[in-house]
C-alpha cells in the first residue's frame, strides 16, 4: 500500500538538512529536517521570507546540490545529480546576448542530443506557446524584461520537463508585466497546454502563491523548515477581491508573522552581561523606518490599525520589507500583528504622540527591556571604570549563533538604536562601545 503511494510522487524530500561550515567550528544550518512530497498534476508554492533557504531547497530538488543529510527521491529513486525530467526557471534569465530567441530556447535541447530538425520544431512550439511567436530572430536586447522572462520560460518548457521548478520567476518584473505572465501561465496550465506534469514555485509573495497554487508550503526562517501546509481550492481564474481569497491571504499573513519569543527580563537585569544569555535575532532596521511606520499607522486612514496586505500594497512594500518593520515594532511592544492586521498598542500610540525627548525615553525603556543585546552591552559599560568596552567580544559571541556578516549588521543596527535612545555610543576608530556624559546620567 505505502509502496503504491510512493509511486504517485514525483518528488519526495526526506529529512533534508543543509548546513555550511562557519569559521569558528560551528555550522550555519540553512535547512533543517525538510520533508515534502510533490505529485503529478499540482502546482505547489513554497512561501517563505528572504534568506529562509528556498533557493537552496530548489537546488537540492533539482539535483544541483547534494543535501548535507537526508535524501531526495525522484520518481521513487534516489536523486544523485541533475535529473533530465526537471527544468528550472530563475528570477533573472541568463540569456545569451549574442544568440537569437530561437537559439536561446534551443539551448535547452543541446544537452539532450535532440536531432537538429526536431530541436527547431520543439523550440518554435515553445516560443509560440509562451506568446513570443514572431520574435524567433530577435536578440535579447531588443526585448522587454517581460519578454525576456518568456524566453527563459520557453527554454525550460522546450524539454517538456515532468517538473518545472521556478525560483521567484516574476519578482524582477514590474507589477503589470508579472501579472500578465502569471495569468498566461495559469491559463496554459488550466487548459492543459503546458508540457509539464507539476510545478513547484518559490515566492515570497503571498498573493502570488494564492493566485497560482493548489497547495502551499510555508517555510520558517533560521533554519528553513516546512511549518505549515495549506490547500487552495478556489477555481481559476482566481479573483483577488473575493472575500474568501482575502481571508486566506490574511490567514497566511498570520501564519508568517508569529511573534518572536522575547526572553523574559531576568530578575536582576544588571546581571546580564553575556549576549548568549537570551539573545534573539532583531530585525535589522534603522530607527527612522520604525518611527515612520508607527506614524503612518497612527495617521489617517489607519488610525492605529491596518490590514497588512492592503498596507503593503498602498506603501508599495514587499512582504520582506514590511514584516521586519512590524516585527521590530512588536518587539518593542509598540504594535501587535495578528489575523493579518497590524495594530498600534497604547505604548505605540503614546510614542507617536510624544515630543522628541519623551519619544527617546519610551524607546529607551522598550529596547532595554526587550533587546537583550543592548541590555548586555549597557550593563558591561556601567561596570567598567572607563565606561568603554571592545565590540570585538560581542561580535564573537554573536558569531556563535549567526554568520559574521549578520553579526556585523546586527551590531550596526543596535548601535543606531542605542545612539537614538542615548543608551551608549560607539567609536569606529577604537572599535569600542562607550558611555558619553549624557548616557551616564540615564538608567
Ligand atoms: P532564500 O532563497 O529563501 O532567500 P537561500 O536559499 O538563498 O534563501 O539562502 C539561505 C541561507 O543560506 C542564507 O542565509 C544564505 O546566506 C545561506 N547560504 C546559501 N548558500 C550558501 C553557501 N554556499 N555558503 C554559505 N551560506 C550559504
Ligand atoms: Mg532565493
Amino acid at each position: 500500500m505505502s509502496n503504491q503511494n510512493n509511486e504517485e510522487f514525483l518528488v519526495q524530500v526526506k529529512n533534508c538538512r543543509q548546513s555550511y561550515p562557519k569559521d569558528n567550528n560551528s555550522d550555519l544550518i540553512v535547512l533543517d529536517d525538510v520533508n515534502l512530497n510533490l505529485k503529478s498534476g499540482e502546482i505547489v508554492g513554497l512561501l517563505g521570507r528572504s534568506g529562509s533557504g528556498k533557493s537552496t531547497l530548489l537546488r537540492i530538488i533539482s539535483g544541483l546540490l547534494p543535501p548535507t543529510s537526508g535524501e531526495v527521491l525522484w520518481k521513487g529513486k534516489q536523486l544523485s545529480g541533475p535529473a533530465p525530467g526537471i527544468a528550472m526557471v530563475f528570477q533573472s534569465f541568463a540569456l545569451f546576448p549574442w544568440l537569437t530567441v530561437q537559439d536561446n530556447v534551443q539551448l535547452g535541447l543541446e544537452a539532450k542530443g535532440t536531432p537538429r530538425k526536431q530541436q527547431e520544431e520543439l523550440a518554435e512550439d515553445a516560443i509560440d506557446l509562451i506568446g513570443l511567436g514572431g520574435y524567433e530572430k530577435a536578440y535579447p536586447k531588443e526585448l522587454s524584461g517581460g519578454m525576456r522572462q518568456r524566453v527563459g520560460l520557453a527554454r525550460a518548457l522546450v524539454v517538456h520537463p515532468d517538473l518545472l521548478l521556478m525560483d521567484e520567476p516574476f519578482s524582477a518584473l514590474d507589477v503589470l508585466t508579472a501579472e500578465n505572465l502569471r495569468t498566461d501561465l495559469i491559463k496554459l496550465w488550466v487548459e492543459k497546454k503546458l508540457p509539464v506534469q507539476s510545478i513547484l514555485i518559490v515566492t515570497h509573495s503571498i498573493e502570488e502563491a494564492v493566485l497560482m497554487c493548489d497547495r502551499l508550503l510555508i517555510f520558517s526562517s533560521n533554519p528553513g523548515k516546512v511549518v505549515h501546509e495549506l490547500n487552495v481550492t478556489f477555481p481559476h481564474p482566481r479573483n483577488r477581491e473575493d472575500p474568501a481569497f482575502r481571508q486566506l491571504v490574511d490567514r497566511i499573513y498570520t501564519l508568517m508573522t508569529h511573534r518572536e519569543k522575547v526572553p523574559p527580563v531576568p530578575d536582576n537585569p544588571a546581571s546580564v552581561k553575556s549576549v548568549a544569555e537570551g539573545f534573539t535575532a532583531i530585525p535589522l532596521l534603522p530607527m527612522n523606518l520604525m518611527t515612520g511606520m508607527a506614524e503612518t499607522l497612527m495617521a489617517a486612514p489607519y488610525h492605529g490599525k491596518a490590514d497588512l496586505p492592503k498596507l503593503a500594497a498602498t506603501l508599495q512594500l514587499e512582504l520582506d520589507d514590511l514584516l521586519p518593520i512590524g516585527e521590530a515594532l512588536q518587539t518593542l511592544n509598540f504594535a501587535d500583528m495578528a489575523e493579518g492586521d497590524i495594530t498600534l498598542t497604547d505604548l505605540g500610540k503614546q510614542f507617536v504622540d510624544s515630543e522628541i525627548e519623551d519619544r527617546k525615553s519610551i524607546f529607551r525603556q522598550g529596547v532595554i527591556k526587550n533587546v537583550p543585546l543592548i541590555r548586555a552591552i549597557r550593563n558591561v559599560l556601567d561596570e567598567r571604570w572607563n565606561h568603554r568596552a571592545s565590540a570585538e567580544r560581542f561580535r564573537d559571541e554573536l558569531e556563535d549563533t549567526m554568520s559574521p556578516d549578520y553579526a556585523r549588521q546586527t551590531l550596526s543596527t543596535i548601535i543606531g538604536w542605542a545612539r537614538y535612545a542615548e543608551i551608549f555610543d560607539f567609536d569606529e576608530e577604537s572599535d569600542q562601545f562607550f558611555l558619553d556624559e549624557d548616557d551616564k546620567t540615564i538608567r
Side-chain angles (χ1 to χ4, degrees):
M1 182 70 195
S2 71
N3 263 347
Q4 268 176 347
N5 278 343
N6 286 349
E7 277 159 23
E8 279 177 29
F9 293 123
L10 275 181
V11 174
Q12 290 164 279
V13 174
K14 297 186 164 184
N15 311 108
C16 270
R17 190 182 156 91
Q18 185 67 34
S19 59
Y20 296 103
K22 288 196 299 188
D23 25 327
N24 49 357
N25 297 330
S26 59
D27 289 341
L28 174 71
I29 300 167
V30 175
L31 299 175
D32 187 22
D33 198 24
V34 173
N35 290 282
L36 66 90
N37 296 321
L38 293 177
K39 280 181 298 204
S40 204
E42 61 177 356
I43 304 186
V44 174
L46 193 61
L47 194 52
R49 310 268 290 269
S50 149
S52 58
K54 303 180 301 294
S55 296
T56 304
L57 181 58
L58 274 202
R59 285 172 60 220
I60 289 175
I61 293 175
S62 74
L64 288 170
L65 177 72
T68 310
S69 66
E71 60 175 1
V72 179
L73 301 186
W74 170 242
K75 298 183 176 175
K77 295 204 187 70
Q78 182 153 6
L79 190 65
S80 57
I86 304 179
M88 176 108 104
V89 175
F90 299 94
Q91 182 180 333
S92 59
F93 298 109
L95 301 181
F96 294 96
W98 58 87
L99 295 181
T100 61
V101 167
Q102 170 88 25
D103 290 339
N104 264 294
V105 173
Q106 255 171 252
L107 266 188
L109 293 163
E110 286 297 335
K112 287 182 76 178
T114 313
R116 193 80 200 166
K117 185 83 196 118
Q118 202 188 341
Q119 276 191 25
E120 280 165 23
E121 286 166 15
L122 284 167
E124 274 162 26
D125 289 347
I127 290 167
D128 279 342
L129 182 73
I130 211 69
L132 282 178
Y135 288 91
E136 291 83 354
K137 300 274 167 289
Y139 287 88
K141 67 170 188 298
E142 302 169 278
L143 305 178
S144 68
M147 287 159 87
R148 275 183 236 151
Q149 304 294 68
R150 286 178 195 258
V151 179
L153 202 52
R155 185 201 279 173
L157 291 174
V158 76
V159 298
H160 295 196
D162 297 315
L163 174 64
L164 182 64
L165 300 175
M166 306 180 90
D167 194 353
E168 312 216 10
F170 311 117
S171 63
L173 302 176
D174 66 80
V175 179
L176 226 60
T177 308
E179 189 73 4
N180 285 336
L181 193 42
R182 220 182 267 130
T183 309
D184 287 357
L185 194 69
I186 291 298
K187 191 159 180 286
L188 291 171
W189 171 262
V190 172
E191 292 171 354
K192 302 204 186 307
K193 287 181 183 156
L194 280 186
V196 301
Q197 289 181 36
S198 176
I199 299 178
L200 177 62
I201 177 167
V202 156
T203 174
H204 62 254
S205 160
I206 295 177
E207 301 232 348
E208 175 168 293
V210 178
L211 274 172
M212 296 184 66
C213 301
D214 302 308
R215 194 154 62 92
L216 298 181
L217 305 172
I218 299 177
F219 228 54
S220 67
S221 309
N222 298 319
K225 206 177 162 110
V226 178
V227 283
H228 298 285
E229 184 176 341
L230 295 165
N231 289 317
V232 188
T233 51
F234 311 132
H236 291 287
R238 293 176 181 168
N239 176 4
R240 287 170 193 268
E241 302 308 322
D242 182 348
F245 187 105
R246 302 302 335 155
Q247 214 175 8
L248 184 58
V249 168
D250 276 355
R251 198 171 138 221
I252 298 170
Y253 262 90
T254 308
L255 293 175
M256 291 181 74
T257 53
H258 66 273
R259 199 187 171 99
E260 287 245 342
K261 271 201 235 70
V262 175
V265 185
D267 294 340
N268 176 10
S271 71
V272 180
K273 303 200 184 64
S274 150
V275 177
E277 249 179 275
F279 175 76
T280 43
I282 52 158
L284 303 176
L285 293 173
M287 269 307 297
N288 59 358
L289 270 187
M290 287 152 42
T291 347
M293 182 59 70
E295 284 165 358
T296 304
L297 286 172
M298 187 73 173
Y302 305 112
H303 303 294
K305 180 172 178 171
D307 177 68
L308 281 165
K310 283 201 193 110
L311 187 65
T314 310
L315 302 177
Q316 303 210 329
L317 285 178
E318 294 273 4
L319 182 67
D320 276 336
D321 305 320
L322 184 59
L323 289 187
I325 306 177
E327 279 164 0
L329 292 174
Q330 192 166 257
T331 299
L332 298 170
N333 279 326
F334 284 9
D336 266 321
M337 290 196 288
E339 312 295 320
D341 290 332
I342 180 165
T343 314
L344 283 181
T345 59
D346 288 341
L347 189 66
K349 290 178 181 165
Q350 198 192 331
F351 175 82
V352 176
D353 280 341
S354 298
E355 298 298 330
I356 178 83
E357 281 311 312
D358 286 336
R359 275 195 182 189
K360 284 187 179 203
S361 153
I362 294 171
F363 186 75
R364 182 184 314 123
Q365 287 159 30
V367 291
I368 292 272
K369 186 161 173 225
N370 298 300
V371 185
L373 177 55
I374 290 187
R375 191 163 66 219
I377 294 172
R378 173 69 197 223
N379 286 341
V380 169
L381 292 172
D382 277 332
E383 262 189 8
R384 298 274 170 92
W385 66 272
N386 62 352
H387 303 302
R388 299 184 78 89
S390 161
E392 190 59 38
R393 170 199 146 192
F394 292 99
R395 212 174 283 121
D396 284 349
E397 278 195 64
L398 286 176
E399 285 177 16
D400 290 342
T401 57
M402 59 182 71
S403 68
D405 198 36
Y406 200 85
R408 250 188 307 278
Q409 291 181 49
T410 298
L411 280 190
S412 80
T413 303
I414 60 114
I415 288 166
W417 295 9
R419 271 186 184 144
Y420 171 84
E422 298 178 356
I423 299 171
F424 55 77
D425 209 333
F426 176 71
D427 174 44
E428 319 266 338
E429 199 140 324
S430 59
D431 193 36
Q432 284 181 332
F433 299 112
F434 68 98
L435 298 183
D436 71 15
E437 287 314 312
D438 286 341
D439 298 337
K440 280 180 209 163
T441 57
I442 296 165
R443 272 253 55 169

